[in-house]
Amino acid sequence: MSKHMQVYFHDESEAESFKATLAKYSTQDVFIDKIESDDDIMLVIPTLPATSSDPGAPPVPVSQKDADMAFDFESSDDNRPRHVIVDFKVVESDYENVLKEVKNSDGLLNQAHV
């Protein structure tokens, strides 16, 4: 089964660079498109949740539900407009790795789709 993803970038150069990183994952229907505005969209950053194994983090109890969720999503402080979107499908087994690539590439996700 695959997951649909849309990753927002400031410009086409950032989007092309991210698209190149997707080559090592099982993706389908990858395309880059320009968008008019991202004003009405709540964009979020994928983040790893703090765990007791993080340096300096206090021990915290982790429920089974929390253990199954490897990523959290938080609002971005970056208010610069994002004019380009990379739209694609990724197989579920590669989803978490692609989320890491999104974070490393300074991409943002639409909160409605995560």
Side-chain angles (χ1 to χ4, degrees):
M1 185 160 183
S2 61
K3 290 186 167 246
H4 179 241
M5 295 185 74
Q6 294 179 327
V7 184
Y8 294 77
F9 293 97
H10 299 109
D11 57 45
E12 197 165 345
S13 176
E14 288 179 355
E16 288 289 348
S17 179
F18 177 73
K19 182 179 176 182
T21 66
L22 291 177
K24 57 187 168 185
Y25 301 106
S26 296
T27 58
Q28 299 173 340
D29 306 327
V30 181
F31 70 91
I32 295 175
D33 199 8
K34 292 184 180 181
I35 57 174
E36 295 283 325
S37 168
D38 63 4
D39 292 342
D40 297 333
I41 301 170
M42 173 66 80
L43 298 176
V44 294
I45 306 167
T47 60
L48 288 169
T51 65
S52 58
S53 63
D54 289 342
V60 293
V62 178
S63 70
Q64 182 60 39
K65 180 180 177 188
D66 292 337
D68 291 340
M69 189 169 88
F71 276 86
D72 286 330
F73 299 93
E74 63 185 42
S75 297
S76 172
D77 294 335
D78 183 355
N79 293 324
R80 296 177 295 156
R82 296 190 176 246
H83 298 289
V84 183
I85 187 171
V86 180
D87 188 286
F88 61 98
K89 293 178 187 170
V90 61
V91 296
E92 267 190 65
S93 59
D94 284 339
Y95 180 70
E96 287 187 17
N97 289 326
V98 171
L99 284 177
K100 290 176 189 173
E101 298 288 357
V102 169
K103 182 170 177 60
N104 292 339
S105 299
D106 193 31
L108 295 180
L109 303 168
N110 184 342
Q111 183 178 12
H113 295 139
V114 294

